[in-house]
Amino acid sequence: MKKPWAGRFTEKTSKLVEKYTESISFDKRLWKYDIEGSIAHAGMLSKQGIIPKKDAGKIIKGLKEIYKEIEEGRFTFSEELEDIHMNIESALIAKIGEAGGRLHTARSRNDQVALDLRLYLRAEVREILALLKDLEAVLVDLAEKNLDVIMPGYTHMQRAQPVLLSHHLMAYAHMFERDRTRFQDALKRINVLPLGSCALAGTSLPIDRHYVAGLLGFDAVSENSIDSVSDRDFAVEFLSCSAMLMVHFSRMAEELILWSSEEFSFIELSDAFTTGSSIMPQKKNPDVAELMRGKTGRVYGNLMSLLTVMKGLPLAYNRDMQEDKESVFDTVDTVKTTLGVLTGMLQNMTLKRKKMEAGGDAAFSTATDIAEYLVRKKIPFRTAHEITGKIVRYCVDNGKRLSDLSITEYQAFSAAIGHDIYRFIGIPESVKAKESYGGTSPKKVRDQIRRFRNDLKGI
Ligand code: ARG
């Protein structure tokens, strides 16, 4: 097969080189966007009188046929033709003859590949945004439905203070909300038209880039042709947003794994979202959550990979940049499938509220409430902390809980303690009292959920 760039060559390309340089095996994924971009480009060339209207008509018709052929699996991709751009252009020329040779006017593969990747990422990011919104909605639903469930809150993986399960769940909703807004922001820099920058210098032909931007729904036209063909910031940014999202996935996965263990038993994952063991018949394993945690590694790797490819590259386009695609594709796949699986897993899990509530009661988790009680009695917090510490010590030594102590026992530690102390050491009372903005009281969590739901409705 003749390569479109074969003019100045006398020898055939080595097979090894063909194998080494080809990208068609993975960039065929861009076919839709390559055709969409070419149709817009041909329309512009014709409007500007750069190519005959008749030929533009043939080009567009031919491209639409190729679209159908690829869609229906009737198109043969060829490694000899390197990449998706040359595969489609050669098929067009084979189909319509000379007119097809006019499509690549005022265009280079350098701006073409940047265009395709931007169109692809724009579509994928929009899908990711919708999936993130679904996940947030599931978390908000769960939080709203279980507003009365109290669980132990942890720091250092030790029981710390009782909190509402809803508050804990909403913490993840906030992480995913930040992820969504980060992707949304990245979209602004993805949605810029690079086409018409040509190889690197622009063109002497009278093209209309703003017209093409309008046809393809771009918000802006890139301003510097050199930057346009050498920029992959938008792809790095996408990978970075994805890496951050994976941090959140993996933290949630870790908690789902812990919570479904026999030791915690806060939740039971549904059969549909767990797997069995090939040797131990009794096992139901959280493999899905483990993979979610494990797949974080490849997404970080993808980010590091592209950052490293781009590091130290001179302007403008360099073939190194072909290495951007697999990192991006793999990340898109990983993020989208993980979003789907996590949303399903949350929707189908069973909460074991009794276990959660029992966990809240045990380990002096309202000790801070005693300290804050003493602060309200005008005792400096450090002193209050010391007094409460001694009360806890006394309980530990005597095998008692805070609620078991008599008023005389309490007053032995501080004369400031009155009979009202018992209103502050109960678990529900402790949670209800956390009325500070962003705190875990049912009222504040309800406000939080309302605000969150309203914002979700608005998008
Ligand atoms: N397959 C190439 C890539 O993915 C397209 C651009 C090639 N440009 C070139 N001048 N060789 O980056």
Side-chain angles (χ1 to χ4, degrees), residues 194-208:
L195 198 70
S197 300
C198 305
L200 81 164
T203 174
S204 60
L205 296 164
I207 58 173
D208 183 350

Side-chain angles (χ1 to χ4, degrees), residues 23 27 83 85 109-110 113 317 319 321-322 325:
S23 55
D27 71 9
D83 57 23
H85 326 297
R109 276 187 295 156
N110 301 350
V113 71
Y317 177 84
R319 190 63 176 268
M321 287 154 71
Q322 178 167 294
K325 283 168 212 60

Side-chain angles (χ1 to χ4, degrees), residues 5 21-24 26-27 30 82-86 108-114 199 232 317-325:
W5 44 252
T21 56
E22 70 85 23
S23 55
I24 188 63
F26 49 88
D27 71 9
L30 296 173
E82 258 180 57
D83 57 23
I84 188 63
H85 326 297
M86 278 169 31
S108 134
R109 276 187 295 156
N110 301 350
D111 55 345
Q112 190 178 355
V113 71
R232 290 294 181 271
Y317 177 84
N318 301 272
R319 190 63 176 268
D320 314 44
M321 287 154 71
Q322 178 167 294
E323 291 290 312
D324 59 358
K325 283 168 212 60

